[in-house]
C-alpha cells in the first residue's frame, strides 16, 4: 500500500530551489523565515480572544487607522524574521510610514527587499473573521551593501521574485509563488510545520462568485454598476445570477475566489477616489498569485503588475480573479467611460 508522506514547506522549497534563478539558499532562507513569523502570529491570532492582546495600542498607523496590538505584533514578528534571514536588507510595511532598513552586518548585504501588510483585515480580529498577512519579495536594484533606496521598493509588480499570503482562518495556510505556479501549505499544529496541501493551484477561468462592498454602489463607476447588474441577471446558460460573497478581508475573499473561481473588486469610491487597496503590498502580491494561478488582475484598464508605483502607500482600483470575469468587467468599464 502506498504510504503518503507529508511534504513540509522547507522540504518543498529545497526541492524547488533549482527553479529559483538566483543563489540557491537565498530564497530558501527568506521563505523559511516567513514561515517562522507566520507560525508565531498564528499562535497569537488563535488566542486573540483569550489574552489581553485585543484592543488598541492607542497609536494610529500611517493610514490613520487605529492600530490593534496584533497589527503591531505581526509587524514586529515579520521584521524580526526578515532580519534573521540575513537575505533581506529592507522592508516596506503598511504599518510604517517610511521604509525600514537593516544596517547590521547580518543583513545589510542582503539582496532582497520585503513588502508587506503584516495583518490585513485586522478590523475583523475582534469578531473572529479570517485575516491575513500579504507579502512581496523583490531583488534590490540599488548597490548591495548600501542603504536601500526608495527605488528598491517602487518596482513594478512584474519584478517580484516571490509573493504570497498567510490566511489565519479555520486553518492557517501559507500560499506563495516564485513565478512557477502557486502552492498552498496548511499548518499542522501537531508538528508545527506548514505541510503541502494544495499543489499547483489553478483558478477556474469562470466563476459564480462576485465580491464587492455594495454599500459603496452609488459611488461606483458606471461600468462597475452595470457589471454588478449583469452578475445579478439570469442568463440562458443558467450561469447567472452569480452569488455575492464579501467578507471584508482581502485575503479571505481572494483565497475563496482563487479556490472556487470568482472576482474580487474594489473600485474607486467617494471615500477612496484611487481605490482603497495599496498597490505595493496588497494589489501586487495578490495580482502575481492570481496570474500564476491562471487568473487576471487589473486596475480596470491596465495590468496591475505593470503599474510603476510612485509612492510607497499609493492606492489602486483593483479587479482580480477568474480571467473571464475580470475581462467582462473591463468590457463594461470601457463601454461606460465616466466623465470624471
Ligand atoms: P471595506 C481591510 O480593512 C481591507 O484593507 C481589506 O482587507 C478588505 O478587502 C477591504 O479593506 C474592505 O474594505 O471598505 O469594504 O470595509
Amino acid at each position: 500500500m502506498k504510504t503518503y508522506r507529508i511534504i513540509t514547506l522547507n522540504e518543498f522549497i529545497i526541492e524547488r530551489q533549482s527553479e529559483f534563478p538566483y543563489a540557491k539558499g537565498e530564497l530558501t532562507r527568506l521563505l523559511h523565515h516567513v514561515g517562522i513569523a507566520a507560525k508565531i502570529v498564528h499562535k497569537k491570532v488563535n488566542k486573540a480572544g483569550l489574552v489581553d492582546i485585543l484592543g488598541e495600542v492607542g497609536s494610529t498607523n500611517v493610514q490613520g487607522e487605529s492600530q490593534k496590538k496584533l497589527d503591531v505584533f505581526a509587524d514586529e514578528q515579520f521584521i524580526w524574521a526578515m532580519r534573521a534571514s540575513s537575505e533581506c536588507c529592507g522592508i516596506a510595511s503598511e504599518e510604517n510610514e517610511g521604509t525600514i532598513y537593516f544596517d547590521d552586518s547580518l543583513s545589510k548585504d542582503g539582496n532582497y527587499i520585503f513588502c508587506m501588510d503584516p495583518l490585513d483585515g485586522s478590523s475583523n480580529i475582534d469578531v473572529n473573521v479570517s485575516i491575513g498577512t500579504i507579502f512581496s519579495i523583490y531583488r534590490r536594484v540599488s548597490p548591495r551593501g548600501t542603504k536601500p533606496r526608495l527605488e528598491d521598493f517602487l518596482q513594478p509588480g512584474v519584478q517580484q521574485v516571490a509573493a504570497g499570503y498567510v490566511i489565519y482562518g479555520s486553518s492557517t495556510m501559507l500560499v506563495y509563488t516564485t513565478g512557477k505556479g502557486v502552492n498552498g501549505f496548511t499548518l499542522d499544529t501537531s508538528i508545527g510545520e506548514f505541510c503541502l496541501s494544495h499543489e499547483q493551484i489553478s483558478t477556474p477561468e469562470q466563476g459564480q462568485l462576485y465580491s464587492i462592498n455594495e454599500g459603496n454602489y452609488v459611488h461606483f463607476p458606471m461600468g462597475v454598476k452595470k457589471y454588478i447588474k449583469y452578475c445579478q441577471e439570469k442568463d440562458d446558460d443558467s450561469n447567472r445570477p452569480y452569488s455575492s460573497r464579501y467578507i471584508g478581508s482581502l485575503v479571505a475573499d481572494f483565497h475563496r475566489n482563487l479556490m472556487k473561481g470568482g472576482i474580487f473588486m474594489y473600485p474607486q469610491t467617494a471615500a477612496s477616489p484611487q481605490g482603497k487597496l495599496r498597490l505595493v503590498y496588497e494589489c501586487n502580491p495578490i495580482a502575481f498569485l492570481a496570474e500564476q494561478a491562471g487568473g487576471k488582475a487589473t486596475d480596470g484598464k491596465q495590468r496591475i503588475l505593470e503599474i510603476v508605483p510612485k509612492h510607497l502607500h499609493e492606492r489602486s482600483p483593483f479587479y482580480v480573479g477568474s480571467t473571464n470575469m475580470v475581462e467582462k468587467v473591463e468590457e463594461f468599464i470601457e463601454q461606460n467611460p465616466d466623465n470624471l
Side-chain angles (χ1 to χ4, degrees):
M1 182 183 80
K2 184 176 181 308
T3 53
Y4 175 71
R5 185 188 179 292
I6 55 157
I7 298 175
T8 66
L9 172 65
N10 289 344
E11 288 166 339
F12 185 86
I13 297 168
I14 288 167
E15 252 175 44
R16 301 291 186 93
Q17 65 183 359
S18 56
E19 293 173 355
F20 193 61
Y22 302 104
K24 294 211 179 316
E26 293 177 348
L27 181 72
T28 304
R29 274 190 293 280
L30 280 167
L31 290 173
H32 170 71
H33 282 83
V34 168
I36 294 175
K39 286 188 252 185
I40 296 171
V41 173
H42 154 85
K43 231 174 94 208
K44 278 285 191 272
V45 166
N46 257 21
K47 295 184 175 53
L50 300 176
V51 296
D52 175 32
I53 196 154
L54 287 181
E56 308 189 350
V57 175
S59 61
T60 56
N61 67 14
V62 65
Q63 325 302 338
E65 295 160 348
S66 57
Q67 276 193 282
K68 296 197 176 303
K69 290 178 182 173
L70 266 179
D71 293 67
V72 178
F73 178 82
D75 193 43
E76 290 164 356
Q77 293 308 316
F78 280 93
I79 292 169
W80 170 87
M82 283 302 104
R83 182 198 299 271
S85 76
S86 79
E87 300 298 348
C88 173
C89 63
I91 290 182
S93 166
E94 179 172 37
E95 298 302 333
N96 299 274
E97 185 161 3
T99 56
I100 297 154
Y101 72 94
F102 302 136
D103 56 5
D104 57 276
S105 56
L106 186 66
S107 316
K108 73 180 178 54
D109 290 340
N111 280 317
Y112 300 88
I113 58 107
F114 188 80
C115 305
M116 67 171 169
D117 185 348
L119 207 57
D120 176 77
S122 51
S123 55
N124 293 302
I125 294 171
D126 302 1
V127 292
N128 209 6
V129 166
S130 300
I131 51 182
T133 297
I134 310 170
F135 67 90
S136 193
I137 300 174
Y138 295 83
R139 274 183 80 85
R140 68 180 302 172
V141 291
S142 59
R144 186 175 181 190
T146 62
K147 181 181 173 187
R149 297 187 194 138
L150 202 49
E151 67 190 289
D152 293 311
F153 299 91
L154 300 184
Q155 300 180 57
V158 286
Q159 295 300 328
Q160 292 175 95
V161 294
Y165 57 80
V166 183
I167 178 167
Y168 309 98
S170 45
S171 64
T172 291
M173 275 188 75
L174 170 62
V175 178
Y176 82 89
T177 182
T178 58
K180 302 280 186 191
V182 178
N183 291 284
F185 301 79
T186 301
L187 181 61
D188 180 339
T189 51
S190 69
I191 57 172
E193 290 287 356
F194 279 105
C195 301
L196 182 64
S197 53
H198 298 73
E199 190 163 5
Q200 283 302 103
I201 296 171
S202 169
T203 196
E205 57 179 13
Q206 177 60 48
Q208 307 291 308
L209 303 174
Y210 72 97
S211 308
I212 189 167
N213 181 344
E214 296 192 51
N216 297 317
Y217 180 85
V218 295
H219 303 298
F220 289 153
M222 183 52 71
V224 174
K225 289 178 177 175
K226 290 194 182 263
Y227 179 68
I228 291 172
K229 292 305 163 203
Y230 167 85
C231 292
Q232 294 168 345
E233 282 162 0
K234 184 154 179 46
D235 75 355
D236 46 8
D237 302 336
S238 74
N239 277 322
R240 288 180 283 133
Y242 300 154
S243 295
S244 169
R245 290 284 183 279
Y246 192 71
I247 300 169
S249 182
L250 173 60
V251 172
D253 278 316
F254 175 73
H255 183 73
R256 179 204 52 240
N257 292 358
L258 179 75
M259 304 309 289
K260 292 177 176 268
I263 183 170
F264 173 91
M265 299 172 278
Y266 208 108
Q268 51 274 47
T269 65
S272 309
Q274 297 306 316
K276 176 181 184 182
L277 300 176
R278 309 293 177 169
L279 176 59
V280 170
Y281 40 76
E282 291 174 335
C283 300
N284 270 334
I286 296 295
F288 189 18
L289 289 159
E291 289 195 2
Q292 282 292 309
K296 194 165 181 180
T298 80
D299 67 356
K301 294 186 172 57
Q302 65 179 318
R303 187 182 175 213
I304 285 285
L305 295 183
E306 288 174 356
I307 300 174
V308 180
K310 296 181 187 64
H311 311 289
L312 202 53
H313 300 287
E314 84 178 55
R315 302 171 192 264
S316 170
F318 195 38
Y319 303 85
V320 62
S322 295
T323 297
N324 292 358
M325 301 176 86
V326 175
E327 289 177 349
K328 181 58 94 174
V329 72
E330 284 184 301
E331 225 176 270
F332 276 98
I333 291 171
E334 189 178 14
Q335 290 161 4
N336 298 274
D338 287 279
N339 314 319
L340 293 177

